[in-house]
Amino acid sequence: RHAHRHRVVERAVVAGHGTFAAGLVSAVEQITGRGDRFVAVSNEGQGGAELEGRLERLVGESGARVVFTDLPVGSCSMAVRRLQRRCPGLLLVTGVNLPLLLDVAMSEDPDAQAGARAALARGRAAMMEVGG
């Protein structure tokens, strides 16, 4: 955890298929040195209830109030949506990409949800078409 003005910057969970989340967090670490702001989770080999339980434990242990997932209707997102019923303050952001996570990693806002919401527009804007 990183301190900023005597406040702790919250961690966030990144969840997805295969090694997607770990790859994103690894890239954030290589580029910014702030990969420790995220906890990576894979859905590999886990059923819905098992994944939901794992996410609930990680959210509780890390104090995360934001979970980033790869697909809006994937198993990770569905597990987080069920988890939100028990944790109504939990924010789900789907369709995560590297520019969005880099923005969140570099944010000094101690409120992870505010940082995630601000990064979302920039993450969308980072997608572009070149050539073709």
Side-chain angles (χ1 to χ4, degrees):
R1 295 184 183 226
H2 298 268
H4 177 68
R5 290 188 219 145
H6 308 292
R7 294 189 66 188
V8 174
V9 174
E10 296 175 11
R11 296 178 82 193
V13 173
V14 183
H17 291 78
T19 59
F20 176 81
L24 281 181
V25 173
S26 172
V28 169
E29 175 62 27
Q30 184 177 356
I31 295 166
T32 69
R34 294 182 175 188
D36 61 347
R37 292 192 175 191
F38 304 100
V39 179
V41 178
S42 173
N43 69 349
E44 197 166 3
Q46 296 180 65
E50 186 180 5
L51 180 58
E52 183 179 344
R54 183 160 178 233
L55 286 166
E56 186 169 21
R57 283 190 303 279
L58 289 173
V59 164
E61 290 168 4
S62 67
R65 296 187 313 135
V66 180
V67 180
F68 297 96
T69 63
D70 53 358
L71 294 172
V73 293
S75 60
C76 292
S77 293
M78 298 311 289
V80 174
R81 290 179 66 128
R82 289 189 303 271
L83 182 56
Q84 285 176 313
R85 295 180 194 138
R86 294 189 303 284
C87 306
L90 189 62
L91 176 66
L92 168 63
V93 177
T94 68
V96 67
N97 60 24
L98 183 57
L100 190 156
L101 275 194
L102 289 171
D103 196 305
V104 171
M106 297 309 293
S107 172
E108 295 299 333
D109 193 328
D111 182 342
Q113 290 188 350
R117 286 184 172 107
L120 190 51
R122 291 186 288 272
R124 285 184 186 121
M127 293 186 290
M128 66 178 71
E129 193 176 312
V130 179

